[in-house]
Amino acid sequence: MDRIPILKMGDALLITIQVDMHDRLALALEEDLTAKIAATKAKGVLIDISSLEIVDSFIGRMLDNIAAVSRMLDADTVVVGMRPAVAITLVELGLSLTGVKTALNVERGMLMIQNRLRGLGDFSGRRS
Amino acid sequence: MDRIPILKMGDALLITIQVDMHDRLALALEEDLTAKIAATKAKGVLIDISSLEIVDSFIGRMLDNIAAVSRMLDADTVVVGMRPAVAITLVELGLSLTGVKTALNVERGMLMIQNRLRGLGDFSGRRS
């Protein structure tokens, strides 16, 4: 199992991070994801990190990278399911994931992507 | 990371199996899932096994167990993303997962669950 599965759900792709990430796996994920965005014309990427107890600078950089690459392919990235303790640690470490949108859970993340597609508001879900 | 995340998507719960399963993890997954079905009143369970290259009798039994327990709680289980090679091996091994419904991917699995909820047909998606 050297690949993280990428699931298509409507206009979005869903990735659940469950295993310890390392360089090769992160690179493979980026490659697979860009190929899948191109193949499925997905407009959003949801990354669930609810099973991660620790998000270090490596994971933080990977999330930033994925968001940047997806943006180039016109897909928005939303990180969902971050544990409260992880959020506290990230801020304390000075890693505030500025390039990445977040939502409490998959459903809210999906709503953010759909709202933007429907032009119902800006990407945060607020009406403009 | 000793827990497999269970994501709520509308009326269904989504589980992506990515790691090697062992006894304790399978038991924990069953416990978490039943608690989550009760808490969210979910009507369906989607289990994605697209990253599994091998499904042995242990995994087969786990899938059967999950389907049986979910059925008790009035939720249907659909296994999605099975690789063709896995399907061949399962049949050759005599493990045909009779208690479990399958669909090609998450979207079709979700459709099966929604169709049944809307009374549009039987569980297989055919109109009755």
Side-chain angles (χ1 to χ4, degrees):
Chain A
M1 272 172 274
D2 52 351
R3 284 289 206 257
I4 292 179
I6 301 172
L7 308 177
K8 186 168 182 290
M9 303 278 313
D11 289 312
L13 299 176
L14 174 64
I15 301 164
T16 324
I17 310 276
Q18 290 176 28
V19 292
D20 286 321
M21 298 300 291
H22 49 78
D23 277 15
R24 213 161 42 83
L25 192 58
L27 272 179
L29 178 60
E30 250 175 70
E31 264 174 43
D32 291 350
L33 182 62
T34 47
K36 193 117 183 182
I37 291 175
T40 61
K41 303 187 180 69
K43 305 299 279 180
V45 177
L46 291 164
I47 306 178
D48 178 80
I49 58 167
S50 58
S51 67
L52 295 189
E53 282 169 13
I54 297 164
V55 172
D56 55 11
S57 60
F58 174 69
I59 302 266
R61 212 164 41 242
M62 186 197 73
L63 294 175
D64 266 337
N65 271 358
I66 286 180
V69 171
S70 303
R71 204 176 302 123
M72 299 273 186
L73 298 169
D74 192 26
D76 294 305
T77 303
V78 184
V79 171
V80 301
M82 187 185 292
R83 298 188 184 195
V86 167
I88 292 171
T89 316
L90 277 177
V91 171
E92 277 173 359
L93 285 174
L95 296 167
S96 47
L97 299 183
T98 43
V100 181
K101 307 278 171 188
T102 51
L104 214 53
N105 55 40
V106 178
E107 286 185 316
R108 292 197 187 190
M110 190 70 91
L111 210 63
M112 276 169 76
I113 290 171
Q114 286 170 346
N115 277 350
R116 179 173 162 276
L117 278 182
R118 288 188 199 133
L120 274 178
D122 68 2
F123 189 56
S124 67
R126 285 188 300 267
R127 281 173 181 275
S128 48
Chain B
M1 273 172 272
D2 54 349
R3 283 289 206 256
I4 293 180
I6 302 171
L7 308 178
K8 186 168 181 291
M9 302 278 313
D11 288 313
L13 299 176
L14 174 65
I15 301 165
T16 325
I17 309 277
Q18 290 177 27
V19 291
D20 286 320
M21 297 298 294
H22 48 78
D23 277 16
R24 213 161 40 83
L25 193 58
L27 272 179
L29 177 60
E30 250 176 71
E31 263 175 44
D32 290 351
L33 181 62
T34 46
K36 194 115 180 182
I37 291 175
T40 62
K41 302 187 180 70
K43 304 299 278 179
V45 177
L46 291 164
I47 306 179
D48 178 79
I49 60 167
S50 58
S51 67
L52 295 189
E53 283 170 12
I54 297 163
V55 172
D56 54 10
S57 61
F58 174 69
I59 302 267
R61 212 164 42 240
M62 186 196 74
L63 294 175
D64 265 338
N65 269 359
I66 286 179
V69 171
S70 303
R71 203 176 303 122
M72 300 271 186
L73 298 169
D74 192 25
D76 294 306
T77 304
V78 184
V79 170
V80 301
M82 188 185 292
R83 299 187 183 197
V86 167
I88 293 171
T89 316
L90 277 177
V91 171
E92 278 173 357
L93 285 174
L95 295 167
S96 48
L97 300 184
T98 43
V100 180
K101 308 278 173 187
T102 50
L104 213 55
N105 55 40
V106 177
E107 286 185 317
R108 292 197 186 189
M110 189 71 90
L111 210 63
M112 275 170 77
I113 289 171
Q114 285 169 346
N115 277 351
R116 181 172 161 278
L117 278 182
R118 289 188 198 133
L120 275 178
D122 68 3
F123 190 56
S124 68
R126 286 188 300 266
R127 281 175 180 273
S128 49

